[in-house]
Amino acid sequence: MPPAPVRPLPPWRAALGRAAPALGLFAAARLTGTAVLALWCLHIDRSPRALLAKSWDSGWYTRIAAEGYGRTLYWPDGVVQSDLAFFPLYPALVRGVTAVLPVAGGTAGLLVSWLAAGAAAWGVYAVGERLWGAGTARVLVLLWGLLPHSVVLTMAYTEPLLTAFAAWALYAVLTRHWLWAGVLAALAGAARPNGVAVAAAVGAAGALEVYRRLRERRAPGWRPCAAVLLAPAGWLGYVLWVGARTGDLLGGYFRVQAGWTSRFDFGRGTVRFARTIATRPMDLGFTVSLLLTGVAVVLLALLALERPPLPVLVYTAVLVVIAVGGAGFFESKPRFLLPAFPLLAPLALALRRARPGAATVVVAALAGLSFGYGAYLLTLATMAL
């Protein structure tokens, strides 16, 4: 009797199988970082779960998930901080988890973030594999998991969610799945303010595709056009909703952000802060943030020299421009750049070309920095994350 024919794996399972080594490296990096944090917390008598689930903005997100929008803080110096500054998708997902599982908001936030981080790591691998090959893609994922601020990827924060939607939106564009690209870009825009970078990337790619078809005297096709229209829907929809709620349709959201000292000033605030750091002692985190922001600019230039596809370059450049050109919360700029994973491509390519011993030393040094600095950010630093 002839053997039964072997059925080919579904494409998604085959893709997951190829990504499995990279996902294992990412999980090992983040689990080790979490273990280091837990051991340090045991030494100083702090709760690692509380730090990961409730630090800084995490409390705002879980409160929105539980009670909805409506919290505003009025400080003695006249500063007004509203929870309308926080985009809705993440707290909506946290609320959904608490509705179906018997867990509190902080735990639900961690579940959402951890699942999103895994999906993001897979998306980062998928983009890297398509552009630079499987070996470089594995290094790219590992480097992303070992960034100095990668502790955020295991916190109840929105960066893992944004990165997941962004990476898969870029992959959808690269594989010409236009509708998926538009939908994922819209979701990215509903996750974080800088999710607008995904809309810019998908919009630029869709517009270029339409232009190419018209120049070749072909019909532009409705799918690229739909992607262009869908991509900014999440970001624009929330901005307009906040504007309507505050009575200023076009400016309301930006006034809310100004209450948090967040505004785009074309880098003037960054330059002033850099001068301040250079002239007087400050928290270590501020100096590290300045160094990492400068490194991001250099890596963007190196990425451009690699001539990546237009959507990848646009996405990364917009994230860097937002981080460098924005004022307020200078210490958070490296966190804002976590979704800009293509910045790591030049380093990943260099490590692939390096001798194994040298590459191992670099990765080990990055791991030590990531684990130690992550524990510092959550337990010793006095600045906001």
Side-chain angles (χ1 to χ4, degrees):
M1 186 174 180
V6 178
R7 295 182 179 179
L9 289 175
W12 70 268
R13 288 187 60 184
L16 181 58
R18 296 195 304 273
L23 298 182
L25 290 172
F26 176 78
R30 295 315 323 135
L31 286 172
T32 304
T34 304
V36 170
L37 174 65
L39 289 173
W40 176 245
C41 287
L42 180 65
H43 174 69
I44 62 175
D45 195 24
R46 299 281 297 276
S47 166
R49 180 202 168 277
L51 288 172
L52 293 173
K54 299 179 180 180
S55 295
W56 303 107
D57 291 350
S58 299
W60 286 88
Y61 284 117
T62 54
R63 188 179 181 117
I64 294 169
E67 303 175 7
Y69 287 99
R71 185 189 186 197
T72 302
L73 299 182
Y74 299 89
W75 298 96
D77 58 0
V79 172
V80 178
Q81 293 179 327
S82 167
D83 60 6
L84 293 173
F86 298 93
F87 274 52
L89 183 57
Y90 180 78
L93 292 174
V94 172
R95 187 180 184 91
V97 171
T98 58
V100 298
L101 295 178
V103 295
T107 300
L110 290 177
L111 290 175
V112 171
S113 294
W114 293 348
L115 289 173
W122 186 8
V124 170
Y125 176 85
V127 173
E129 180 189 46
R130 187 165 187 87
L131 296 180
W132 300 292
T136 300
R138 286 192 289 270
V139 178
L140 184 67
V141 173
L142 178 60
L143 292 176
W144 187 61
L146 292 177
L147 287 172
H149 279 66
S150 60
V151 66
V152 174
L153 301 177
T154 45
M155 295 176 64
Y157 262 58
T158 53
E159 276 72 20
L161 189 64
L162 171 59
T163 309
F165 287 129
W168 286 108
L170 291 175
Y171 182 78
V173 168
L174 295 174
T175 56
R176 305 173 72 82
H177 290 85
W178 293 106
L179 292 183
W180 273 113
V183 170
L184 291 168
L187 291 170
R192 280 196 54 78
N194 54 354
V196 71
V198 190
V202 173
L208 180 60
E209 177 69 13
V210 170
Y211 170 75
R212 284 174 175 169
R213 293 186 183 189
L214 291 175
R215 191 176 62 177
E216 296 169 359
R217 300 182 182 277
R218 294 190 293 148
W222 66 272
R223 286 182 175 84
C225 296
V228 173
L229 295 175
L230 282 171
W235 185 88
L236 186 61
Y238 183 69
V239 168
L240 293 178
W241 180 80
V242 173
R245 179 160 172 159
T246 59
D248 182 1
L249 185 63
L250 298 181
Y253 169 76
F254 300 101
R255 283 196 292 109
V256 168
Q257 285 286 7
W260 289 83
T261 71
S262 295
R263 62 190 182 279
F264 191 82
D265 66 353
F266 298 92
R268 290 190 293 272
T270 298
V271 172
R272 286 196 299 270
F273 207 92
R275 290 173 180 169
T276 301
I277 292 175
T279 55
R280 63 184 178 90
M282 297 193 72
D283 193 301
L284 172 65
F286 290 109
T287 303
V288 172
S289 295
L290 177 62
L291 291 174
L292 293 177
T293 303
V295 168
V297 174
V298 173
L299 289 176
L300 177 61
L302 294 176
L303 175 67
L305 294 176
E306 296 291 339
R307 300 174 64 89
L310 176 68
V312 174
L313 184 59
V314 169
Y315 166 71
T316 312
V318 171
L319 285 176
V320 173
V321 168
I322 290 173
V324 175
F329 292 100
F330 190 91
E331 63 274 21
S332 297
K333 289 184 184 294
R335 173 168 65 84
F336 300 157
L337 288 167
L338 274 175
F341 65 90
L343 288 175
L344 300 171
L347 180 56
L349 290 166
L351 287 176
R352 281 286 293 167
R353 292 190 291 263
R355 293 180 179 178
T360 301
V361 170
V362 171
V363 170
L366 290 174
L369 173 62
S370 175
F371 304 154
Y373 192 64
Y376 162 80
L377 286 174
L378 286 183
T379 61
L380 298 176
T382 58
M383 60 183 192
L385 181 58

